[in-house]
Amino acid sequence: MNDALYDQAIIAEARSKTGAGRLDAPTVTAECDNPLCGDRITVDLAVQDGAISDLAHKTRGCLLTQASASLLARYAKGGDVAAARELRAAIDAFVKGQDDERFAILTPVRNAKSRWDCVTLPFQALADALADLEKRG
Amino acid sequence: MNDALYDQAIIAEARSKTGAGRLDAPTVTAECDNPLCGDRITVDLAVQDGAISDLAHKTRGCLLTQASASLLARYAKGGDVAAARELRAAIDAFVKGQDDERFAILTPVRNAKSRWDCVTLPFQALADALADLEKRG
Amino acid sequence: MNPIRQDFPAFDRLDRPLHFLDNAATSQICRPALEALVRFETDDRSNVKRGVYARAERASVAFDDARKAAMEFLNAPSPEEIVFTSGATLGLNTAAHILQDRLKPGDVILVSLLEHHSNLVPWQLAAERRGASLRAIPVTDGGRLDLERLDELADRVKIVAVTHASNVTGAITDVARLRAFCDATGALLVLDGAQRAAHGPLDVQALGCDLYAFSGHKCFGPTGIGVLWGRYDLLDSAPPFLGGGEMIRRVSIERSTFAPPPHRYEAGTPPIGGAIALGAALAWSMAQDWDRLGAQERELAGRMLDGLASLPGCRIYGDTGTQQRIGVVSFELEDVHAHDVCQLLDSDHGVMLRGGHHCAQPLMERFDTVATVRASLAPYNDGADVDALLNGLEAVRRKLA
Amino acid sequence: MNPIRQDFPAFDRLDRPLHFLDNAATSQICRPALEALVRFETDDRSNVKRGVYARAERASVAFDDARKAAMEFLNAPSPEEIVFTSGATLGLNTAAHILQDRLKPGDVILVSLLEHHSNLVPWQLAAERRGASLRAIPVTDGGRLDLERLDELADRVKIVAVTHASNVTGAITDVARLRAFCDATGALLVLDGAQRAAHGPLDVQALGCDLYAFSGHKCFGPTGIGVLWGRYDLLDSAPPFLGGGEMIRRVSIERSTFAPPPHRYEAGTPPIGGAIALGAALAWSMAQDWDRLGAQERELAGRMLDGLASLPGCRIYGDTGTQQRIGVVSFELEDVHAHDVCQLLDSDHGVMLRGGHHCAQPLMERFDTVATVRASLAPYNDGADVDALLNGLEAVRRKLA
Ligand SMILES: Cc1ncc(COP(=O)(O)O)c(C=O)c1O
Ligand SMILES: Cc1ncc(COP(=O)(O)O)c(C=O)c1O
């Protein structure tokens, strides 16, 4: 059932460590825990003129979380804030079955409900960061 | 399994109402409740020179309790206190399988564990009364 | 024979008739529930939450689905408002815990004389902890809440906790009237649904209650499982009740932080098999035609009530009509003890009844009795059960009265 | 194949190997337990206590017999000291309730860094209510209670509540040493037997503890049932915990009086099917040759520990010897996340393991980690399971490390 969960695409995406690291002077930072396994991601955003000019994440997590964090960096970095706001809902819809090219390599996760939180965690951190940004006005 | 529980012998013993009533001047009285069904028995004893010279019981209960209360009056009244002290344990042993001529008509109760308390209740009241008597010295 | 019996394993192979009329104590389990339980134990047995292997994944999905089934059965807005408990009793204790911090000394919890002990004692314990007290809605001669008296009872009432249907008289509570009272007074409304849940799906939103509890074993599920539904903001407003695994966020020796509802109230390994089986039982219930089953129940109840009314020396406790009631009927035969009735009806007539105070001592006192005989109906009962009861009672009367 | 598997329905029909090594989370159910459960639900289903009809009589007798089975399994002096709970977690919460009135502000409950959250949070909640606090026995690098340090921890200790065997390192607690400590200090001794109970019958009298709790689902019974044993005088010394039916003597609206133990702590309809099935599981356990099973477990644990020790980059948490331990082993593979290990071992090798903090966050902190992989043995495991684990880990390491 989860046979393809560790296929080469996911492993490669995790190993790419796209966006791994910290920013020197982030506009906003959010930290998000998966309390059940102790995984933790810290997301730094640099925001300028309504766009995410830079993004970095420090991720302690399983391969799925790492792959997902790499995807996060790919899709959010350089894009505008409005689009980034959609990503949390998009990954959620994706794991529940909605087609979405951007997350295609994560398709095997759909069958492993216990791992859904692993792939949504980075996007939750992004959402938290953006919510924080908005609160500051 | 309980087919014989309401055979004529038990019904007749209950209807005999042996010892039913109250004493005018009991030496000691005990009241005992079966909290689960609300049954209640009050036992009055008149004790003289180590013997139970008179006994009466007021019984609100099922046929089994009434039959048992009649037996109580039969065996305790007129006997000595030492012998009466044994009765509580004897009825207990009887329902659990020990032969005892005195309680023979109650044999069908052995198969109805939920009704054991019904037949031991009058003897518990007797035991309580005797314990009270002893405490007084 | 009532064809619905095919859904109940109790009727599969019988050497003697099973006129089971003790459904208010516990119902029989329906086949989908027993099958779901055996399937879990055989094919999926593993702990839920965070097992990543496929066996655990299947168990977790089945457990989550059971929560959704309970949500649908109650028409609750969200699965996060569904707390699995070991039964109605733990549900009501949890409800009392959740609400007790709202009580100040002198405040009042409004209960009723109809209540089952499980909806009295938890409130007594909470009241004692907070210096509050209980006040009881009286009961009419017809065995119903005397809601005419409600307004005179309003002073300092912060919580109203009453049964949705009586396990002794079968009266169904007029919840709308209580809802209006709570709107007027600001009190919170807790319903004990232990009896009502056996009679088809519910709508807690339409009822307008704040907390609702029931047991699986009375609505065709297994023993050891129940549901407490609560409005999310209420569930989220209280500290945990039981402590342990699964209800925490972070634990150190000195202190802990806690998970959001419903997990905050589900400490330790839950009754997994029980929840999955209950989900199947609720799904079975939701698939039934309750218009038809309700009509069948009223017809049988009417036949029973009429028969009892024409039995010499039989006193019925509560209403003798068939409206606004469930098929639970309490009565006494003059000069025959309730347990003697029950024993003989079983041994000589294959009819199973309950005798006793039905965990409702205040109501027994209200009716000035100590024990009644109770017959209670489920969808698998039929006319033969009622006839066996009535014929049996006639025979007992002749034998013992 | 291990012939004992014939006693476990999980192994009856399988399309893929079931190398079930998550027994510390939940064991498989044994056939006698499942059969007893199905028999109750089919042939005897009814409520217990005071049903006088034969069906209820059979259920009540089976329920009483289950209590006696638990008494024998624990070598408790009397069935009146056996309280059925929904699991170890409720048992430990009840224990904390029973003992909390003995705590004065400033008093100390001695726990340990090994504890499962279910043996921490209930004590934290009790301590908070009484103004007391928790103090923890430290843990050695070998994953054992550091009992050398016991004497320096004695000040104001009123309760000692520790695990009988660790669900992370497998260490079995030196109870005699704790008993001596309690004798010297007058503290009461509570043991969390959730893990230990899966490894054969117990003797609470020889252990000398005051309260003992375990769960059915970890020792081959169903979910939703457990046992709290307590010395009668302790059980009898405390007010009720949960309120409801069956635990009362007399109820009026204003106040209630309560039944003696064990009923005082069994509010509402108990998990009847669960208790009966647990009784059957305990009887199964008592019929086994635990000398042989213990030797088998030590042999398999040794093979596992040796294999793990020779696996490059594998760190074992706790002792690597096979004495004074149960077959529970925690480890980590360097650079591979616990959940990735567990997922791949299941999907590619049919091996079921648990990854995570195992509800023991203080111990994770002590070991400076966040999550371990845990393999845990039961009587139905065999060399093939251990080989599959070790081969699988080697494959995962090559694939991911
Ligand atoms: C050591 C220990 N204590 C307590 C528990 C709690 O048991 P349960 O979750 O069955 O209530 C567990 C298992 O989860 C355990 O391993
Ligand atoms: C009206 C009512 N409330 C509460 C309960 C308690 O339910 P349980 O014993 O399943 O916890 C019952 C049944 O026993 C009941 O009939």
Side-chain angles (χ1 to χ4, degrees), chain C residues 166-217:
Chain C
S166 164
N167 69 317
V168 178
T169 68
I172 294 178
T173 299
D174 178 359
V175 178
R177 181 68 191 80
L178 289 169
R179 179 66 261 162
F181 175 83
C182 289
D183 284 341
T185 58
L188 289 164
L189 181 58
V190 183
L191 292 180
D192 170 3
Q195 289 299 326
R196 172 57 187 80
H199 301 267
L202 285 151
D203 187 339
V204 289
Q205 299 186 67
L207 286 170
C209 57
D210 297 296
L211 292 155
Y212 197 98
F214 70 95
S215 281
H217 71 96

Side-chain angles (χ1 to χ4, degrees), chain C residues 47 244-246 267-270, chain D residues 24-26 86-92 114-119 163-168 192-196 213-218 224-225 358-359 374:
Chain C
N47 214 320
E246 315 298 347
T269 302
Chain D
T26 199
S86 62
T89 299
L90 180 57
L92 293 164
L114 270 185
E115 299 315 310
H116 188 280
H117 298 160
S118 288
N119 198 33
T163 191
H164 194 184
S166 163
N167 69 318
V168 178
D192 170 3
Q195 290 298 325
R196 171 57 187 81
F214 70 93
S215 280
H217 71 96
K218 293 188 202 271
I225 184 74
H358 314 294
C359 299
R374 181 184 70 187

Side-chain angles (χ1 to χ4, degrees), chain C residues 24-25 86-92 114-119 163-168 192-196 213-218 225 358-359 374, chain D residues 47 245-246 267-270:
Chain C
S86 61
T89 299
L90 180 57
L92 292 164
L114 270 187
E115 300 314 310
H116 188 280
H117 298 162
S118 287
N119 199 33
T163 192
H164 193 183
S166 164
N167 69 317
V168 178
D192 170 3
Q195 289 299 326
R196 172 57 187 80
F214 70 95
S215 281
H217 71 96
K218 291 188 203 270
I225 185 72
H358 314 294
C359 298
R374 180 184 70 187
Chain D
N47 214 322
E246 315 298 348
T269 302

Side-chain angles (χ1 to χ4, degrees), chain C residues 33-100:
Chain C
L34 185 55
E35 285 178 353
L37 186 54
V38 172
R39 197 180 322 115
F40 163 73
E41 290 295 0
T42 308
D43 298 340
D44 300 343
R45 168 72 174 236
S46 44
N47 214 320
V48 288
K49 302 177 187 170
R50 279 293 131 165
V52 301
Y53 48 87
R55 193 177 179 86
E57 188 85 60
R58 288 196 302 273
S60 298
V61 167
F63 185 70
D64 290 349
D65 286 350
R67 202 185 295 278
K68 277 186 217 125
M71 170 188 82
E72 286 167 24
F73 181 80
L74 292 169
N75 192 31
S78 142
E80 258 111 65
E81 299 186 349
I82 301 294
V83 178
F84 282 122
T85 68
S86 61
T89 299
L90 180 57
L92 292 164
N93 278 274
T94 306
H97 167 87
I98 288 172
L99 300 187
Q100 70 179 6

Side-chain angles (χ1 to χ4, degrees), chain D residues 263-277:
Chain D
H263 309 290
R264 189 184 304 163
Y265 302 105
E266 293 181 352
T269 302
I272 306 169
I276 290 172

Side-chain angles (χ1 to χ4, degrees), chain D residues 280-344:
Chain D
L282 297 179
W284 177 88
S285 180
M286 288 187 276
Q288 302 308 306
D289 175 356
W290 282 96
D291 285 344
R292 192 181 69 70
L293 291 179
Q296 168 186 300
E297 185 175 321
R298 276 188 300 279
E299 197 258 311
L300 292 177
R303 194 155 149 185
M304 191 151 79
L305 287 158
D306 290 349
L308 291 171
S310 65
L311 196 71
C314 179
R315 175 177 173 190
I316 297 172
Y317 291 95
D319 239 353
T320 54
T322 61
Q323 298 305 307
Q324 278 295 95
R325 79 177 299 148
I326 54 173
V328 173
V329 177
S330 284
F331 58 93
E332 253 181 272
L333 287 193
E334 201 176 1
D335 292 332
V336 190
H337 190 280
H339 280 155
D340 294 333
V341 172
C342 293
Q343 191 93 52
L344 273 167

Side-chain angles (χ1 to χ4, degrees), chain C residues 205-244:
Chain C
Q205 299 186 67
L207 286 170
C209 57
D210 297 296
L211 292 155
Y212 197 98
F214 70 95
S215 281
H217 71 96
K218 291 188 203 270
C219 57
F220 322 114
T223 57
I225 185 72
V227 168
L228 173 67
W229 167 79
R231 271 176 30 218
Y232 192 85
D233 62 316
L234 283 179
L235 297 181
D236 200 30
S237 69
F241 181 36
L242 304 172

